[in-house]
Every structure is written in structure tokens, then in C-alpha cells.
Amino acid sequence: MVSIRASRPRPDGATLANRASRSLSEVPSTGKPRPQLTIPTTRSPLTDPIANSALFRKNYAMLAAVFGAGFAFEMGFNSTMNKIWDSNNRGRQWKDIRSKYVEGGDEDEE
């Protein structure tokens, strides 16, 4: 069984009642305020029109925008990586040495 006793004064002068009424931003041992994390609430003029545009008001429009942006990014990324790969491996790929081994050069045999 739990017994309830009157709170005794502590050496720092805090009792259970006034400890509960303290602000949560104070450290109990020192009584000094903790540094507060502040997040800026101002909006950039570039992001404000985008956030309120018709593109992001409806779920299906947002979904279409995300899929479209993903598809465009994938195509751009793949073409860039293919160009880098081809420039690093120039002279070692089949398309570069085919003319040495196949008669007729670039003609495809069917």
C-alpha cells in the first residue's frame, strides 16, 4: 500500500508542489533555463507560391507531379551516367571495336 506523506523541504528550497509548478524549460538541479531550439517560421518567396499552387492542392495532382518528376530525373540520370560510362570505356566496348571484327562495318546482319 502506498502512503502519502507531506513533502519535506529540500535543501534547495523546492517542495513537491512547487517543483511541479516549475516550467518544463528549467533544469531542476540548477533552475537555469535550458537553451531553446528555434525554428525559423519565415517562408521563402520561392517556396510559398509552390506550396499554395494548384499542383499540390489535390492528392492526385501531387502524386502525378511526384511520379513525373521521378520519371524525368531517372531519364536524365541514366543518360548522364551512360555518357560518363561510354567516355571512361571508349575503345573497349563492342560498339567501338566492332568494325575490326565484322566485315561491312556498321551494317547489321539479320
Side-chain angles (χ1 to χ4, degrees):
M1 179 171 241
V2 177
S3 64
I4 300 174
R5 299 185 317 185
S7 61
R8 297 182 287 176
R10 292 180 36 163
D12 62 355
T15 62
L16 182 62
N18 68 8
R19 275 189 288 157
S21 66
R22 283 186 185 176
S23 169
L24 293 177
S25 66
E26 292 181 1
V27 178
S29 62
T30 61
K32 295 179 183 177
R34 292 182 180 162
Q36 296 294 320
L37 176 66
T38 58
I39 300 172
T41 57
T42 59
R43 291 189 176 183
S44 167
L46 296 176
T47 59
D48 199 26
I50 294 172
N52 294 324
S53 72
L55 186 63
F56 299 117
R57 286 185 187 166
K58 302 286 183 181
N59 189 32
Y60 64 85
M62 176 71 170
L63 186 66
V66 168
F67 276 96
F71 184 74
F73 176 78
E74 179 211 0
M75 293 202 42
F77 184 81
N78 282 342
S79 66
T80 303
M81 288 299 115
N82 284 338
K83 288 176 185 176
I84 291 171
W85 178 266
D86 288 340
S87 67
N88 286 338
N89 294 303
R90 186 173 295 132
R92 291 181 252 170
Q93 297 178 4
W94 176 248
K95 64 182 177 180
D96 298 331
I97 62 171
R98 181 175 184 202
S99 61
K100 294 179 184 177
Y101 299 103
V102 177
E103 293 178 17
D106 292 330
E107 297 176 12
D108 289 335
E109 295 180 20
E110 292 184 28

XYZ file of all heavy atoms in Angstrom:
855
model
N 0.842 -1.168 0.000
C 0.000 0.000 0.000
C 0.892 1.238 0.000
O 1.919 1.272 0.646
C -0.918 -0.029 1.218
C -1.814 1.152 1.318
S -2.996 0.904 2.605
C -4.445 0.973 1.638
N 0.483 2.248 -0.720
C 1.254 3.475 -0.851
C 0.763 4.472 0.186
O -0.426 4.716 0.309
C 1.094 4.064 -2.265
C 1.836 5.376 -2.367
C 1.551 3.081 -3.293
N 1.706 5.017 0.911
C 1.319 6.031 1.894
C 1.696 7.408 1.356
O 2.723 7.575 0.707
C 2.010 5.780 3.237
O 3.401 5.914 3.069
N 0.862 8.365 1.632
C 1.093 9.726 1.177
C 1.569 10.529 2.380
O 0.895 10.586 3.403
C -0.191 10.338 0.584
C -0.644 9.503 -0.598
C 0.039 11.783 0.192
C -1.975 9.932 -1.150
N 2.756 11.123 2.219
C 3.299 11.932 3.306
C 3.384 13.376 2.847
O 3.431 13.658 1.653
C 4.700 11.471 3.687
C 4.735 10.055 4.159
C 6.098 9.666 4.637
N 7.159 10.164 3.746
C 8.437 9.880 3.894
N 8.819 9.110 4.885
N 9.337 10.353 3.078
N 3.426 14.246 3.784
C 3.622 15.665 3.457
C 5.045 15.830 2.947
O 5.963 15.181 3.426
C 3.388 16.526 4.686
N 5.204 16.671 1.962
C 6.535 16.828 1.385
C 7.438 17.589 2.335
O 7.025 18.555 2.970
C 6.445 17.542 0.045
O 5.897 18.822 0.222
N 8.666 17.078 2.431
C 9.645 17.749 3.287
C 10.356 18.817 2.467
O 10.529 18.663 1.268
C 10.686 16.756 3.764
C 10.127 15.661 4.605
C 11.225 14.769 5.064
N 11.687 13.967 3.897
C 12.711 13.136 3.944
N 13.408 13.002 5.036
N 13.052 12.441 2.896
N 10.771 19.876 3.081
C 11.554 20.860 2.331
C 12.915 20.272 1.955
O 13.538 19.572 2.734
C 11.702 22.032 3.290
C 11.187 21.598 4.595
C 10.492 20.295 4.440
N 13.318 20.553 0.754
C 14.614 20.083 0.273
C 15.659 21.145 0.525
O 15.323 22.303 0.783
C 14.517 19.776 -1.215
C 13.625 18.582 -1.487
C 13.522 18.271 -2.925
N 14.787 18.500 -3.639
C 15.062 18.022 -4.827
N 14.171 17.320 -5.441
N 16.200 18.274 -5.409
N 16.920 20.783 0.446
C 17.971 21.781 0.696
C 17.920 22.964 -0.274
O 18.276 24.080 0.097
C 19.267 21.002 0.505
C 18.907 19.578 0.670
C 17.470 19.455 0.300
N 17.456 22.738 -1.501
C 17.399 23.862 -2.437
C 16.093 24.644 -2.306
O 15.841 25.571 -3.061
C 17.588 23.381 -3.882
C 16.496 22.418 -4.325
O 15.650 22.043 -3.492
O 16.499 22.044 -5.509
N 15.260 24.284 -1.357
C 14.039 25.016 -1.098
C 12.864 24.557 -1.937
O 11.790 25.141 -1.869
N 13.018 23.515 -2.745
C 11.941 23.054 -3.613
C 11.148 21.962 -2.921
O 11.702 21.054 -2.333
C 12.526 22.519 -4.908
N 9.845 22.084 -2.965
C 8.968 21.034 -2.469
C 8.311 20.374 -3.659
O 8.450 20.834 -4.798
C 7.895 21.609 -1.537
O 7.105 22.511 -2.299
C 8.505 22.291 -0.337
N 7.578 19.308 -3.401
C 6.914 18.603 -4.486
C 5.914 19.505 -5.191
O 5.813 19.498 -6.411
C 6.213 17.353 -3.939
C 5.522 16.480 -4.965
C 6.542 15.935 -5.947
C 4.781 15.355 -4.294
N 5.241 20.348 -4.459
C 4.232 21.226 -5.055
C 4.870 22.272 -5.957
O 4.424 22.495 -7.071
C 3.419 21.901 -3.961
N 5.913 22.947 -5.474
C 6.472 23.980 -6.334
C 7.400 23.409 -7.405
O 7.704 24.068 -8.374
C 7.138 25.100 -5.529
C 8.394 24.661 -4.804
O 8.878 23.554 -4.996
N 8.899 25.542 -3.957
N 7.882 22.176 -7.235
C 8.634 21.530 -8.317
C 7.706 21.210 -9.479
O 8.072 21.307 -10.634
C 9.317 20.256 -7.829
C 10.648 20.520 -7.179
C 11.362 19.239 -6.911
N 10.688 18.554 -5.806
C 10.750 17.259 -5.578
N 11.416 16.486 -6.372
N 10.133 16.734 -4.566
N 6.460 20.832 -9.180
C 5.507 20.511 -10.235
C 5.052 21.767 -10.970
O 4.694 21.709 -12.142
C 4.306 19.790 -9.645
N 5.083 22.909 -10.277
C 4.623 24.135 -10.916
C 5.721 24.828 -11.719
O 5.471 25.820 -12.373
C 4.070 25.095 -9.860
O 5.126 25.518 -9.019
N 6.950 24.330 -11.644
C 8.043 24.938 -12.400
C 7.838 24.729 -13.892
O 7.187 23.783 -14.325
C 9.376 24.313 -12.017
C 9.917 24.781 -10.732
C 11.282 24.191 -10.570
N 11.810 24.544 -9.258
C 12.949 24.107 -8.802
N 13.677 23.301 -9.530
N 13.360 24.472 -7.624
N 8.448 25.572 -14.624
C 8.399 25.464 -16.079
C 9.209 24.246 -16.520
O 10.225 23.907 -15.916
C 8.980 26.725 -16.709
O 9.162 26.526 -18.079
N 8.762 23.604 -17.566
C 9.491 22.450 -18.087
C 10.798 22.852 -18.749
O 11.639 22.020 -19.012
C 8.624 21.692 -19.096
C 7.402 21.015 -18.520
C 6.600 20.376 -19.633
C 7.796 19.975 -17.495
N 10.962 24.139 -19.024
C 12.192 24.588 -19.654
C 13.315 24.820 -18.648
O 14.410 25.161 -19.027
C 11.949 25.862 -20.457
O 11.604 26.902 -19.580
N 13.029 24.640 -17.359
C 14.055 24.822 -16.348
C 14.665 23.486 -15.975
O 13.980 22.473 -15.907
C 13.474 25.474 -15.096
C 13.049 26.897 -15.288
C 12.498 27.481 -14.010
O 12.475 26.773 -12.984
O 12.079 28.633 -14.036
N 15.947 23.489 -15.745
C 16.619 22.292 -15.263
C 16.407 22.244 -13.759
O 16.681 23.216 -13.058
C 18.125 22.346 -15.601
C 18.841 21.132 -15.058
C 18.317 22.477 -17.088
N 15.899 21.115 -13.202
C 15.573 21.065 -11.776
C 16.772 21.291 -10.864
O 16.645 21.895 -9.823
C 15.018 19.660 -11.585
C 14.611 19.210 -12.932
C 15.480 19.921 -13.889
N 17.958 20.857 -11.240
C 19.086 20.970 -10.320
C 19.633 22.389 -10.262
O 20.086 22.830 -9.219
C 20.187 20.004 -10.738
O 20.643 20.341 -12.034
N 19.622 23.128 -11.347
C 20.213 24.466 -11.348
C 19.176 25.566 -11.371
O 19.460 26.676 -10.942
C 21.130 24.647 -12.569
O 20.353 24.506 -13.753
C 22.242 23.631 -12.567
N 17.993 25.317 -11.909
C 16.978 26.336 -12.009
C 17.209 27.288 -13.168
O 16.461 28.221 -13.360
N 18.289 27.063 -13.941
C 18.571 27.926 -15.078
C 17.763 27.453 -16.286
O 17.527 26.258 -16.449
C 20.054 27.889 -15.415
C 20.919 28.457 -14.326
C 22.372 28.364 -14.718
C 23.254 28.867 -13.577
N 24.673 28.707 -13.907
N 17.345 28.366 -17.132
C 16.575 27.947 -18.311
C 17.449 27.192 -19.303
O 18.634 27.469 -19.466
C 16.074 29.261 -18.903
C 16.934 30.312 -18.334
C 17.466 29.802 -17.035
N 16.844 26.204 -19.941
C 17.531 25.442 -20.975
C 17.543 26.252 -22.266
O 16.627 27.032 -22.517
C 16.795 24.129 -21.248
C 16.851 23.172 -20.119
C 16.144 21.907 -20.492
N 16.207 20.966 -19.392
C 15.427 19.929 -19.255
N 14.496 19.691 -20.154
N 15.561 19.113 -18.241
N 18.571 26.073 -23.099
C 18.545 26.753 -24.402
C 17.410 26.200 -25.261
O 17.209 24.994 -25.323
C 19.908 26.447 -25.006
C 20.460 25.310 -24.236
C 19.782 25.302 -22.903
N 16.665 27.084 -25.865
C 15.513 26.678 -26.660
C 15.897 26.544 -28.123
O 16.635 27.372 -28.647
C 14.384 27.706 -26.518
C 13.842 27.825 -25.122
C 13.131 26.560 -24.683
O 12.420 25.946 -25.451
N 13.347 26.176 -23.446
N 15.402 25.505 -28.766
C 15.605 25.311 -30.191
C 14.557 26.126 -30.929
O 13.362 25.958 -30.719
C 15.454 23.839 -30.560
C 15.543 23.504 -32.030
C 16.950 23.795 -32.545
C 15.194 22.068 -32.267
N 15.002 27.040 -31.755
C 14.064 27.861 -32.509
C 14.138 27.490 -33.974
O 15.226 27.331 -34.530
C 14.367 29.350 -32.340
O 15.702 29.600 -32.771
C 14.211 29.781 -30.897
N 13.005 27.337 -34.576
C 12.903 27.024 -35.988
C 12.357 28.259 -36.686
O 11.325 28.795 -36.279
C 11.974 25.820 -36.220
C 12.527 24.598 -35.497
C 11.791 25.547 -37.704
C 11.607 23.420 -35.486
N 13.064 28.728 -37.724
C 12.563 29.933 -38.397
C 11.209 29.676 -39.049
O 10.985 28.636 -39.657
C 13.630 30.231 -39.444
C 14.453 29.015 -39.563
C 14.279 28.225 -38.308
N 10.317 30.631 -38.883
C 8.968 30.457 -39.413
C 8.728 31.266 -40.669
O 7.648 31.225 -41.232
C 7.934 30.863 -38.362
O 8.176 32.205 -37.977
C 8.000 29.950 -37.156
N 9.716 32.031 -41.102
C 9.531 32.812 -42.321
C 9.619 31.894 -43.522
O 10.393 30.948 -43.538
C 10.593 33.914 -42.432
O 11.875 33.306 -42.439
C 10.482 34.892 -41.286
N 8.812 32.166 -44.527
C 8.816 31.351 -45.738
C 9.606 32.054 -46.825
O 9.604 33.273 -46.917
C 7.397 31.108 -46.225
C 6.631 30.210 -45.319
C 5.335 29.852 -45.956
N 4.631 28.901 -45.120
C 3.493 28.362 -45.450
N 2.921 28.676 -46.580
N 2.912 27.515 -44.647
N 10.237 31.246 -47.616
C 10.980 31.781 -48.745
C 9.997 32.199 -49.829
O 8.977 31.541 -50.045
C 11.917 30.708 -49.284
O 12.434 31.081 -50.529
N 10.274 33.274 -50.550
C 9.368 33.658 -51.640
C 9.344 32.637 -52.768
O 8.420 32.616 -53.569
C 9.915 34.992 -52.125
C 11.185 35.219 -51.436
C 11.322 34.231 -50.333
N 10.344 31.766 -52.825
C 10.353 30.736 -53.867
C 9.464 29.550 -53.510
O 8.876 28.927 -54.375
C 11.789 30.247 -54.109
C 12.758 31.285 -54.645
C 14.154 30.698 -54.733
C 12.299 31.771 -56.003
N 9.377 29.212 -52.227
C 8.591 28.043 -51.829
C 7.137 28.360 -51.537
O 6.291 27.481 -51.593
C 9.197 27.367 -50.594
O 9.233 28.311 -49.525
C 10.589 26.854 -50.892
N 6.809 29.587 -51.189
C 5.437 29.932 -50.843
C 4.470 29.752 -52.012
O 3.419 29.135 -51.839
C 5.371 31.349 -50.280
C 4.099 31.592 -49.491
O 3.548 30.601 -48.973
O 3.667 32.745 -49.406
N 4.758 30.244 -53.225
C 3.822 30.013 -54.331
C 3.705 28.537 -54.701
O 2.645 28.077 -55.101
C 4.414 30.800 -55.489
C 5.321 31.782 -54.883
C 5.818 31.167 -53.616
N 4.782 27.788 -54.538
C 4.737 26.366 -54.880
C 3.836 25.622 -53.903
O 3.047 24.770 -54.293
C 6.159 25.773 -54.883
C 6.970 26.396 -56.007
C 6.114 24.268 -55.025
C 8.437 26.026 -55.987
N 3.934 25.952 -52.630
C 3.151 25.250 -51.617
C 1.659 25.503 -51.779
O 0.839 24.636 -51.486
C 3.603 25.665 -50.227
N 1.289 26.670 -52.262
C -0.125 27.007 -52.384
C -0.653 26.872 -53.804
O -1.774 27.269 -54.075
C -0.354 28.431 -51.882
C -0.087 28.550 -50.401
O -0.374 27.635 -49.655
N 0.480 29.660 -49.991
N 0.133 26.357 -54.692
C -0.314 26.257 -56.079
C -1.332 25.134 -56.242
O -1.500 24.281 -55.378
C 0.874 26.016 -57.001
O 1.362 24.707 -56.833
N -1.976 25.132 -57.376
C -2.988 24.109 -57.654
C -2.362 22.733 -57.819
O -3.045 21.723 -57.721
C -3.757 24.479 -58.920
N -1.055 22.696 -58.038
C -0.375 21.421 -58.223
C -0.404 20.573 -56.958
O -0.472 19.355 -57.027
C 1.079 21.683 -58.638
C 1.919 20.481 -59.024
C 1.332 19.811 -60.254
C 3.334 20.905 -59.287
N -0.390 21.193 -55.795
C -0.307 20.448 -54.550
C -1.586 20.510 -53.717
O -1.583 20.119 -52.565
C 0.872 20.953 -53.722
C 2.179 20.774 -54.416
C 2.957 21.858 -54.759
C 2.640 19.520 -54.747
C 4.161 21.699 -55.400
C 3.842 19.343 -55.388
C 4.607 20.436 -55.719
N -2.653 20.989 -54.280
C -3.900 21.043 -53.516
C -4.609 19.704 -53.475
O -5.229 19.355 -52.478
C -4.834 22.086 -54.110
C -4.394 23.487 -53.807
C -5.398 24.483 -54.305
N -4.863 25.828 -54.157
C -5.367 26.875 -54.734
N -6.434 26.763 -55.495
N -4.824 28.052 -54.568
N -4.538 18.964 -54.559
C -5.215 17.661 -54.633
C -4.194 16.541 -54.568
O -3.075 16.662 -55.061
C -6.000 17.543 -55.939
C -7.040 18.613 -56.133
C -8.214 18.364 -55.255
C -9.282 19.421 -55.529
N -10.433 19.252 -54.715
N -4.597 15.438 -53.992
C -3.702 14.299 -53.832
C -3.274 13.733 -55.180
O -2.106 13.395 -55.374
C -4.378 13.227 -52.990
C -3.425 12.136 -52.607
O -2.242 12.385 -52.425
N -3.931 10.923 -52.483
N -4.191 13.608 -56.135
C -3.835 13.026 -57.421
C -2.890 13.928 -58.197
O -2.019 13.450 -58.928
C -5.080 12.704 -58.247
C -5.909 13.899 -58.651
C -5.613 14.634 -59.785
C -6.998 14.299 -57.880
C -6.377 15.724 -60.148
C -7.754 15.392 -58.229
C -7.438 16.099 -59.376
O -8.183 17.182 -59.722
N -3.014 15.248 -58.025
C -2.095 16.164 -58.700
C -0.696 16.059 -58.090
O 0.307 16.072 -58.808
C -2.604 17.593 -58.601
N -0.634 15.941 -56.780
C 0.654 15.770 -56.105
C 1.302 14.461 -56.521
O 2.498 14.405 -56.801
C 0.440 15.803 -54.590
C 1.665 15.549 -53.778
S 2.784 16.917 -53.872
C 3.939 16.452 -52.619
N 0.514 13.405 -56.589
C 1.027 12.100 -56.993
C 1.551 12.139 -58.418
O 2.630 11.621 -58.715
C -0.077 11.049 -56.857
C 0.320 9.602 -57.104
C 1.288 9.143 -56.029
C -0.900 8.726 -57.116
N 0.816 12.767 -59.317
C 1.256 12.886 -60.702
C 2.540 13.707 -60.799
O 3.443 13.375 -61.576
C 0.155 13.523 -61.549
N 2.644 14.765 -60.008
C 3.850 15.590 -60.023
C 5.063 14.817 -59.522
O 6.152 14.911 -60.095
C 3.638 16.840 -59.169
N 4.871 14.026 -58.480
C 5.979 13.239 -57.930
C 6.419 12.173 -58.923
O 7.620 11.987 -59.170
C 5.584 12.611 -56.572
C 6.581 11.568 -56.138
C 5.449 13.694 -55.523
N 5.460 11.456 -59.516
C 5.820 10.431 -60.493
C 6.457 11.050 -61.735
O 7.424 10.503 -62.288
C 4.601 9.598 -60.883
C 4.331 8.478 -59.935
C 3.403 8.630 -58.914
C 4.992 7.278 -60.052
C 3.149 7.602 -58.030
C 4.748 6.238 -59.161
C 3.825 6.406 -58.154
N 5.940 12.173 -62.196
C 6.520 12.847 -63.365
C 7.936 13.323 -63.095
O 8.832 13.165 -63.936
N 8.151 13.911 -61.922
C 9.492 14.375 -61.568
C 10.450 13.203 -61.419
O 11.610 13.275 -61.840
C 9.442 15.185 -60.278
N 9.976 12.109 -60.847
C 10.814 10.917 -60.709
C 11.196 10.331 -62.053
O 12.340 9.932 -62.273
N 10.236 10.282 -62.967
C 10.498 9.751 -64.302
C 11.493 10.641 -65.052
O 12.442 10.147 -65.667
C 9.185 9.654 -65.087
C 9.340 9.040 -66.436
C 9.551 7.673 -66.575
C 9.287 9.827 -67.573
C 9.698 7.107 -67.827
C 9.428 9.275 -68.830
C 9.640 7.902 -68.958
N 11.316 11.961 -64.974
C 12.232 12.886 -65.646
C 13.633 12.798 -65.041
O 14.631 12.799 -65.774
C 11.698 14.316 -65.539
N 13.712 12.689 -63.727
C 15.012 12.562 -63.077
C 15.699 11.274 -63.504
O 16.906 11.267 -63.762
C 14.858 12.596 -61.553
C 16.149 12.378 -60.825
C 17.062 13.407 -60.713
C 16.451 11.147 -60.273
C 18.265 13.214 -60.045
C 17.644 10.942 -59.621
C 18.559 11.976 -59.490
N 14.941 10.175 -63.560
C 15.522 8.888 -63.948
C 16.077 8.945 -65.363
O 17.191 8.472 -65.628
C 14.481 7.788 -63.855
C 15.031 6.436 -64.263
C 14.000 5.528 -64.888
O 12.844 5.940 -65.010
O 14.383 4.422 -65.273
N 15.338 9.542 -66.290
C 15.808 9.619 -67.672
C 17.066 10.482 -67.769
O 18.023 10.113 -68.457
C 14.701 10.160 -68.565
C 13.550 9.178 -68.664
S 12.484 9.321 -70.075
C 13.513 9.598 -71.424
N 17.078 11.607 -67.102
C 18.258 12.470 -67.120
C 19.461 11.819 -66.468
O 20.583 11.895 -66.980
N 19.238 11.149 -65.353
C 20.330 10.487 -64.640
C 20.902 9.351 -65.467
O 22.131 9.203 -65.572
C 19.821 9.966 -63.292
C 20.894 9.360 -62.433
C 21.718 10.171 -61.682
C 21.067 7.990 -62.377
C 22.709 9.618 -60.886
C 22.052 7.434 -61.584
C 22.868 8.254 -60.837
N 20.029 8.529 -66.078
C 20.504 7.405 -66.896
C 21.300 7.878 -68.100
O 22.349 7.302 -68.412
C 19.331 6.539 -67.349
C 18.840 5.627 -66.256
O 19.540 5.382 -65.287
N 17.619 5.142 -66.413
N 20.828 8.902 -68.788
C 21.565 9.377 -69.961
C 22.912 9.975 -69.555
O 23.923 9.760 -70.232
C 20.742 10.385 -70.752
O 20.538 11.548 -69.993
N 22.968 10.664 -68.429
C 24.233 11.223 -67.947
C 25.207 10.119 -67.561
O 26.390 10.165 -67.930
C 23.989 12.154 -66.744
O 23.070 13.170 -67.123
C 25.272 12.770 -66.246
N 24.730 9.109 -66.859
C 25.606 8.009 -66.456
C 26.079 7.198 -67.672
O 27.225 6.732 -67.693
C 24.902 7.089 -65.460
C 24.724 7.704 -64.086
S 26.284 8.112 -63.309
C 26.160 9.870 -63.215
N 25.223 7.034 -68.676
C 25.652 6.329 -69.888
C 26.755 7.100 -70.609
O 27.708 6.487 -71.125
C 24.473 6.096 -70.826
C 23.589 4.969 -70.347
O 24.021 4.113 -69.589
N 22.345 4.978 -70.787
N 26.648 8.405 -70.667
C 27.695 9.216 -71.299
C 29.004 9.116 -70.537
O 30.081 9.011 -71.133
C 27.250 10.668 -71.403
C 26.174 10.887 -72.433
C 25.700 12.320 -72.448
C 24.530 12.474 -73.403
N 23.975 13.827 -73.375
N 28.929 9.141 -69.208
C 30.137 9.014 -68.395
C 30.758 7.631 -68.593
O 31.972 7.492 -68.753
C 29.819 9.290 -66.912
C 29.472 10.765 -66.721
C 30.977 8.894 -66.006
C 28.946 11.106 -65.348
N 29.924 6.585 -68.596
C 30.409 5.216 -68.773
C 31.082 5.059 -70.143
O 32.163 4.491 -70.244
C 29.256 4.233 -68.631
C 29.655 2.809 -68.848
C 29.583 2.110 -70.009
C 30.200 1.920 -67.875
N 30.036 0.841 -69.820
C 30.423 0.697 -68.515
C 30.502 2.039 -66.528
C 30.952 -0.406 -67.858
C 31.030 0.944 -65.879
C 31.253 -0.256 -66.542
N 30.438 5.601 -71.182
C 30.999 5.485 -72.527
C 32.314 6.247 -72.652
O 33.240 5.785 -73.324
C 30.002 5.989 -73.569
C 28.826 5.040 -73.744
O 28.957 3.854 -73.367
O 27.776 5.487 -74.245
N 32.423 7.405 -72.016
C 33.671 8.172 -72.117
C 34.796 7.492 -71.339
O 35.954 7.541 -71.757
C 33.473 9.596 -71.626
O 33.226 9.611 -70.244
N 34.485 6.827 -70.225
C 35.513 6.133 -69.453
C 35.946 4.824 -70.111
O 37.057 4.357 -69.864
C 35.027 5.840 -68.034
C 34.991 7.080 -67.175
O 35.666 8.059 -67.442
N 34.175 7.037 -66.126
N 35.081 4.222 -70.921
C 35.383 2.924 -71.525
C 35.488 3.009 -73.042
O 35.245 2.026 -73.739
C 34.303 1.904 -71.134
C 34.339 1.619 -69.657
O 35.352 1.217 -69.122
N 33.227 1.867 -68.994
N 35.851 4.154 -73.562
C 35.988 4.340 -75.005
C 37.091 3.421 -75.536
O 38.170 3.332 -74.967
C 36.333 5.778 -75.326
C 36.345 6.075 -76.810
C 36.534 7.537 -77.107
N 35.385 8.289 -76.603
C 35.476 9.392 -75.883
N 36.645 9.898 -75.566
N 34.391 10.016 -75.474
N 36.784 2.711 -76.629
C 37.745 1.797 -77.246
C 37.695 0.391 -76.694
O 38.345 -0.512 -77.216
N 36.948 0.139 -75.657
C 36.867 -1.192 -75.052
C 35.494 -1.837 -75.214
O 35.317 -2.982 -74.851
C 37.170 -1.104 -73.557
C 38.611 -0.759 -73.280
C 38.850 -0.718 -71.806
N 39.026 0.691 -71.448
C 39.061 1.145 -70.229
N 38.891 0.339 -69.222
N 39.232 2.428 -70.002
N 34.549 -1.112 -75.740
C 33.200 -1.649 -75.896
C 33.022 -2.214 -77.301
O 33.709 -1.835 -78.242
C 32.174 -0.554 -75.625
C 32.231 -0.032 -74.205
C 31.248 1.087 -73.966
O 30.469 1.441 -74.843
N 31.258 1.634 -72.773
N 32.049 -3.107 -77.430
C 31.787 -3.756 -78.705
C 31.445 -2.756 -79.795
O 31.881 -2.880 -80.935
C 30.681 -4.793 -78.557
C 30.290 -5.436 -79.847
C 29.122 -5.306 -80.497
C 31.089 -6.297 -80.648
N 29.120 -6.026 -81.647
C 30.333 -6.659 -81.768
C 32.379 -6.805 -80.525
C 30.801 -7.501 -82.766
C 32.853 -7.653 -81.516
C 32.060 -7.981 -82.622
N 30.704 -1.736 -79.443
C 30.321 -0.751 -80.460
C 31.544 0.007 -80.989
O 31.513 0.533 -82.091
C 29.278 0.222 -79.918
C 29.749 1.096 -78.784
C 28.621 1.977 -78.289
C 29.076 2.802 -77.108
N 28.013 3.641 -76.621
N 32.628 0.062 -80.228
C 33.841 0.742 -80.666
C 34.760 -0.163 -81.492
O 35.466 0.317 -82.379
C 34.618 1.282 -79.468
C 33.834 2.314 -78.686
O 33.005 3.004 -79.311
O 34.045 2.432 -77.459
N 34.785 -1.472 -81.208
C 35.719 -2.377 -81.887
C 35.031 -3.297 -82.885
O 35.672 -4.153 -83.477
C 36.509 -3.213 -80.856
C 35.576 -4.086 -80.023
C 37.334 -2.301 -79.951
C 36.286 -5.075 -79.140
N 33.766 -3.113 -83.107
C 33.017 -4.000 -83.997
C 33.552 -3.964 -85.418
O 33.618 -4.990 -86.094
C 31.548 -3.603 -83.986
C 30.715 -4.492 -84.854
C 29.273 -4.172 -84.749
N 28.585 -5.164 -85.574
C 27.421 -5.015 -86.071
N 26.751 -3.917 -85.834
N 26.874 -5.940 -86.808
N 33.944 -2.799 -85.879
C 34.403 -2.658 -87.267
C 35.669 -3.467 -87.527
O 35.944 -3.833 -88.672
C 34.629 -1.199 -87.601
O 35.621 -0.659 -86.750
N 36.445 -3.787 -86.515
C 37.665 -4.590 -86.694
C 37.355 -6.066 -86.925
O 38.137 -6.766 -87.550
C 38.552 -4.474 -85.457
C 39.112 -3.096 -85.223
C 39.964 -3.098 -83.964
C 40.463 -1.699 -83.657
N 41.223 -1.678 -82.408
N 36.227 -6.554 -86.405
C 35.934 -7.979 -86.440
C 34.808 -8.362 -87.386
O 34.686 -9.520 -87.752
C 35.599 -8.469 -85.029
C 36.749 -8.261 -84.074
C 36.741 -7.223 -83.147
C 37.858 -9.084 -84.122
C 37.797 -7.025 -82.284
C 38.924 -8.903 -83.261
C 38.889 -7.866 -82.346
O 39.945 -7.674 -81.506
N 33.968 -7.435 -87.749
C 32.835 -7.728 -88.614
C 33.055 -7.017 -89.938
O 33.369 -5.826 -89.979
C 31.510 -7.265 -87.959
C 30.340 -7.496 -88.889
C 31.293 -7.983 -86.650
N 32.884 -7.769 -91.030
C 33.034 -7.152 -92.347
C 31.823 -6.274 -92.624
O 30.704 -6.621 -92.308
C 33.157 -8.223 -93.422
C 34.420 -9.024 -93.332
C 34.482 -10.099 -94.389
O 33.715 -10.015 -95.353
O 35.314 -11.007 -94.232
N 32.023 -5.144 -93.227
C 30.935 -4.255 -93.563
C 30.726 -3.160 -92.544
O 29.858 -2.319 -92.725
N 31.474 -3.135 -91.474
C 31.409 -2.033 -90.507
C 30.138 -1.988 -89.686
O 29.865 -2.893 -88.895
N 29.299 -0.971 -89.909
C 28.137 -0.731 -89.068
C 26.878 -1.406 -89.541
O 25.814 -1.187 -88.997
C 27.876 0.780 -88.966
C 28.979 1.475 -88.171
O 29.550 0.809 -87.293
O 29.218 2.671 -88.426
N 26.942 -2.226 -90.580
C 25.728 -2.886 -91.081
C 25.320 -4.009 -90.133
O 26.142 -4.766 -89.655
C 25.970 -3.454 -92.482
C 26.276 -2.402 -93.514
C 26.617 -3.038 -94.863
O 26.392 -4.251 -95.019
O 27.105 -2.316 -95.726
N 24.030 -4.102 -89.892
C 23.509 -5.180 -89.037
C 23.130 -6.357 -89.908
O 22.488 -6.218 -90.947
C 22.262 -4.708 -88.272
C 22.616 -3.707 -87.192
O 23.772 -3.746 -86.730
O 21.752 -2.893 -86.836
N 23.528 -7.544 -89.484
C 23.161 -8.770 -90.203
C 21.894 -9.337 -89.599
O 21.760 -9.430 -88.393
C 24.286 -9.800 -90.120
C 25.538 -9.336 -90.817
C 26.634 -10.397 -90.708
O 26.306 -11.556 -90.455
O 27.797 -10.032 -90.863
N 20.976 -9.746 -90.459
C 19.716 -10.291 -89.948
C 19.468 -11.675 -90.490
O 19.889 -12.115 -91.453
C 18.558 -9.378 -90.336
C 18.675 -8.060 -89.595
C 17.469 -7.176 -89.886
O 16.384 -7.699 -90.172
O 17.614 -5.967 -89.803
